[in-house]
């Protein structure tokens, strides 16, 4: 890429926006049901979906700028479907705790290289 060229062109930005929109909206109903099953109010669900959307956008944009290639951060639709069916009878506080703990494990595996070593072993 030439150095005098803009980092992103309009077609690149539009393509990225469409990819994020499709990825976000395709799982939105499942995520909504998951939060509903955990006992969240409509206001809480709306707030979480907004924050998730903003976080995905910021992370996608940051990684794309950093690595100078399109990077899309998204959630796992099959994982969300599994959680939506598993949250019946779980309190909202317990559901949040599960998310926090799972994310801490993911960060731990990424920082320590544990997951990479496991994949190399397999």
């Amino acid at each position: 890429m030439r150095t005098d060229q803009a980092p992103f062109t309009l077609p690149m930005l539009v393509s990225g926006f469409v990819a994020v929109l499709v990825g976000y909206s395709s799982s939105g109903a499942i995520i909504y049901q998951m939060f509903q099953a955990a006992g969240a109010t409509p206001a809480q669900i709306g707030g979480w979906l907004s924050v998730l959307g903003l976080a995905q956008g910021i992370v996608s944009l940051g990684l794309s700028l950093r690595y100078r290639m399109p990077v899309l951060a998204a959630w796992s639709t099959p994982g969300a479907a599994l959680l939506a069916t598993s949250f019946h009878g779980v309190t909202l506080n317990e559901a949040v705790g599960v998310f926090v703990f799972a994310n801490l494990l993911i960060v731990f595996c990424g920082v320590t290289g544990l997951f990479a070593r496991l994949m190399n072993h397999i």
Side-chain angles (χ1 to χ4, degrees):
M1 187 165 121
R2 296 185 349 224
T3 57
D4 62 332
Q5 208 174 19
F8 293 107
T9 62
L10 183 60
M12 291 168 71
L13 291 174
V14 170
S15 297
F17 176 76
V18 169
V20 169
L21 183 64
V22 169
Y24 184 82
S25 61
S26 65
S27 300
I30 296 170
I31 299 295
Y32 186 87
Q33 288 176 338
M34 179 180 65
F35 288 134
Q36 204 172 33
T41 66
Q44 289 172 321
I45 295 170
W48 281 344
L49 287 174
S50 297
V51 169
L52 282 170
L54 286 172
Q56 287 175 347
I58 290 168
V59 170
S60 295
L61 182 62
L63 290 174
S64 296
L65 288 171
R66 167 72 174 94
Y67 293 106
R68 315 236 355 120
M69 67 172 58
V71 177
L72 181 60
W75 52 51
S76 164
T77 302
L82 176 66
L83 289 175
T85 59
S86 303
F87 272 2
H88 294 287
V90 175
T91 68
L92 187 56
N93 292 337
E94 292 170 338
V96 170
V98 167
F99 276 112
V100 170
F101 183 71
N103 283 304
L104 288 174
L105 286 177
I106 291 168
V107 169
F108 175 76
C109 288
V111 169
T112 62
L114 183 64
F115 187 74
R117 286 195 303 263
L118 178 64
M119 288 297 103
N120 287 334
H121 182 68
I122 292 174

